Amino acid sequence: MLSLAIVGVMIGLMIGRLTAPVERELQQVSVAQDGLVLWFNAEPKLHGENVEGTVALLFQAKGRPQRGQLTVRGKPVSWRVQDSQEGLLLTVVAARTLQGHWSSEEVSGRWRVQVDLRE
């Protein structure tokens, strides 16, 4: 009887693992020409805004905090990825007003989010 209970628990755990949703994870952030490229293991839910000259993107995903700099038309721009209560928050700021445009697509089984920046 105990053996059947153990087998039942193991089968339930396997089914639960197969039907659990994929946890979205930020794998890599790369600097591109006038923008950023973010790579995820699965498509994240994304909400983005241009707020008072900064670009803010909120991803429902996990990942480690990161920061860096890039140049837009030869001028420095800072970016930062940080944890928030709703997920990962990408903030892009500069000494001048920025506008951002983002798009996402699946590439080789991973999701790429391209963030293009302009003044």
Side-chain angles (χ1 to χ4, degrees):
M1 194 62 133
L2 182 62
S3 299
L4 291 175
I6 291 174
V7 169
V9 167
M10 296 302 289
I11 290 173
L13 289 173
M14 287 188 292
I15 291 172
R17 178 65 97 172
L18 291 174
T19 60
V22 175
E23 185 172 310
R24 283 131 177 88
E25 182 179 357
L26 174 63
Q27 297 175 330
Q28 179 182 353
V29 179
S30 304
V31 174
Q33 177 86 19
D34 292 338
L36 293 169
V37 178
L38 295 90
W39 292 93
F40 293 87
N41 64 336
E43 181 179 16
K45 289 186 180 177
L46 164 65
H47 175 75
E49 291 185 18
N50 292 297
V51 182
E52 296 181 9
T54 65
V55 178
L57 298 172
L58 180 63
F59 301 97
Q60 287 186 352
K62 302 277 187 203
R64 62 180 174 80
Q66 303 176 51
R67 63 178 50 208
Q69 288 192 328
L70 64 123
T71 57
V72 174
R73 293 190 173 189
K75 298 175 185 169
V77 174
S78 296
W79 61 269
R80 179 171 72 174
V81 174
Q82 61 189 14
D83 287 319
S84 71
Q85 290 180 347
E86 294 83 20
L88 282 180
L89 178 63
L90 168 67
T91 309
V92 183
V93 297
R96 66 213 168 279
T97 302
L98 288 176
Q99 290 289 317
H101 173 71
W102 46 90
S103 61
S104 65
E105 66 180 334
E106 186 175 10
V107 178
S108 301
R110 297 191 320 168
W111 278 90
R112 177 178 71 188
V113 177
Q114 176 83 34
V115 181
D116 296 314
L117 303 167
R118 64 183 187 279
E119 294 183 19

